[in-house]
Amino acid sequence: MMHHINKHLTGTINNQNINERLARLMEEVEQDKDVQHFLKEHEDKLSEEDILRSSSKLYEFVKEKEKFLSNDESMLAPGYEPKLFLNHRYIDVTYVPTEQLVKEQEENIIKRRVHAVSMPKDIRDATLSDFEVTNERKEAFSDAIQFINQYDTSPNVFHQGLYLYGTFGVGKTYLLGAIANTLATRAHKTTLIHFPTFCVEMKQSIKTDTVQSKLNTIKKAPILMIDDIGADSMSSWIRDDILGVILQYRMQEELPTFFSSNLSMEQLENEHLRFSQKGEDEPLKAMRIMERIRFLSKQVTMIGDNRRLYQD
Ligand code: ADP
Ligand code: MG
């Protein structure tokens, strides 16, 4: 059958040089197993002329398949595998997304549901299945699973988030990331903020007059995770006008909110929130914030080895 392509080409094109070049190109096409198989499969539907008319497509197919198999960057559609198909009486090439591409695209959609602001990069790949469950961490782990299941079943009902309390390096941030990533696989959006960095950004936003718009985005996040609260000293402006406003809104709207801290709720109230940077003791203001944190979340203690010591 492929011999006929050659014959036709040589017959129709006069220029001898082109003739020879084309004949050589089509010889390559002729060798291709997929082309052979395709032509055999559609033998009864294709005349020699149909095949001739399709020779540039056959050539495109062979060339693009070569690039595809060798992962050549110059391929027309990276991640798409060329396939021959019959378009009436004309052979054409279609580009079919590979399983890997489809998987990557799905993963990207899922990843985009997690909005992480100033968070460590390694939480992007945090999963619950990689979370090492020890005796000390099993309560946090099972509470996390329970939250995910309950929220997923009825997202419009209020669910208390978790207040993960534990020493440096036990995996609080990792667990928050894993919860967010799991929720994302079930189409739920989460915003994670590293609280000390967020505070610095809010202060800088005063200059550009963007405090309100940034505050609005954070306070309205469907699920919010406030990482490392209590790590840096807070001004009363941050405590009352930023954190207070965020928590007030989330309490009213019953939006799930998580925290992680090196301080227990008790310590956060009495050793952190009570004292402004200027050293004033404001127990009532601390109490107001803590009421909201206690409404929004349940304290879970995480104790364990410092995982950071095992790395590198
Ligand atoms: P914390 O927020 O409590 O200070 P991190 O979540 O930052 O601790 O965890 C410390 C380090 O250990 C990080 O690099 C994190 O990626 C890693 N890590 C924590 N928990 C796990 C886990 N269960 N499985 C794998 N790596 C973990
Ligand atoms: Mg942390």
Side-chain angles (χ1 to χ4, degrees), residues 5-64:
I5 298 180
N6 269 334
K7 206 175 70 195
H8 268 278
L9 284 173
T10 29
T12 41
I13 301 161
N14 288 325
N15 186 308
Q16 195 58 39
N17 251 334
I18 296 177
N19 266 355
E20 276 170 19
R21 284 213 314 265
L22 258 176
R24 243 179 284 130
L25 294 182
M26 294 321 288
E27 246 169 56
E28 219 186 308
V29 170
E30 192 179 321
Q31 311 271 319
D32 187 272
K33 290 274 181 295
D34 289 322
V35 171
Q36 286 172 3
H37 184 260
F38 184 87
L39 292 178
K40 183 124 192 67
E41 197 184 337
H42 301 285
E43 211 166 19
D44 50 336
K45 288 178 229 108
L46 287 164
S47 70
E48 280 173 26
E49 246 173 275
D50 296 334
I51 297 169
L52 176 66
R53 264 192 301 133
S54 311
S55 49
S56 67
K57 284 294 173 183
L58 289 170
Y59 185 69
E60 173 186 326
F61 168 76
V62 172
K63 282 290 143 192
E64 288 304 317

Side-chain angles (χ1 to χ4, degrees), residues 80-265:
Y80 291 80
E81 184 175 6
K83 293 247 156 71
L84 292 171
F85 74 105
L86 200 59
N87 188 359
H88 301 289
R89 299 186 54 200
Y90 181 70
I91 303 167
D92 206 346
V93 189
T94 179
Y95 292 85
V96 183
T98 54
E99 254 174 61
Q100 198 200 337
L101 182 73
V102 172
K103 208 173 134 228
E104 274 170 22
Q105 285 170 338
E106 277 166 5
E107 278 169 4
N108 279 337
I109 291 173
I110 290 171
K111 288 230 156 85
R112 262 185 266 131
R113 295 191 187 116
V114 179
H115 179 52
V117 187
S118 312
M119 296 293 291
K121 282 198 184 67
D122 61 357
I123 65 142
R124 266 190 270 170
D125 301 313
T127 60
L128 285 175
S129 47
D130 284 343
F131 187 75
E132 194 196 324
V133 188
T134 57
N135 241 355
E136 296 87 349
R137 280 196 223 127
K138 70 179 180 217
E139 189 191 354
F141 182 74
S142 68
D143 283 344
I145 303 225
Q146 191 181 17
F147 173 87
I148 293 164
N149 289 337
Q150 289 177 347
Y151 181 80
D152 190 41
T153 315
S154 40
N156 299 318
V157 174
F158 176 62
H159 301 285
Q160 221 179 10
L162 304 176
Y163 180 105
L164 303 178
Y165 152 57
T167 43
F168 181 75
V170 293
K172 301 182 295 294
T173 302
Y174 186 92
L175 182 57
L176 290 181
I179 297 170
N181 292 337
T182 309
L183 287 164
T185 64
R186 307 198 193 170
H188 306 299
K189 287 185 186 155
T190 302
T191 300
L192 294 107
I193 54 173
H194 180 246
F195 194 65
T197 314
F198 173 73
C199 294
V200 173
E201 276 169 19
M202 289 311 274
K203 264 180 242 155
Q204 287 166 349
S205 304
I206 299 174
K207 279 176 252 150
T208 50
D209 205 17
T210 49
V211 171
Q212 279 315 314
S213 68
K214 284 187 181 147
L215 188 61
N216 278 339
T217 323
I218 298 300
K219 78 177 187 192
K220 291 181 179 170
I223 300 170
L224 180 66
M225 298 180 167
I226 299 179
D227 189 39
D228 246 346
I229 188 170
D232 283 356
S233 65
M234 240 183 257
S235 66
S236 11
W237 178 68
I238 290 284
R239 182 192 58 200
D240 303 327
D241 298 325
I242 302 299
L243 183 62
V245 168
I246 293 172
L247 300 180
Q248 176 64 25
Y249 182 87
R250 301 191 68 79
M251 196 167 107
Q252 269 167 15
E253 300 297 318
E254 303 194 330
L255 296 169
T257 311
F258 288 70
F259 304 85
S260 89
S261 184
N262 294 344
L263 305 175
S264 66
M265 284 190 176

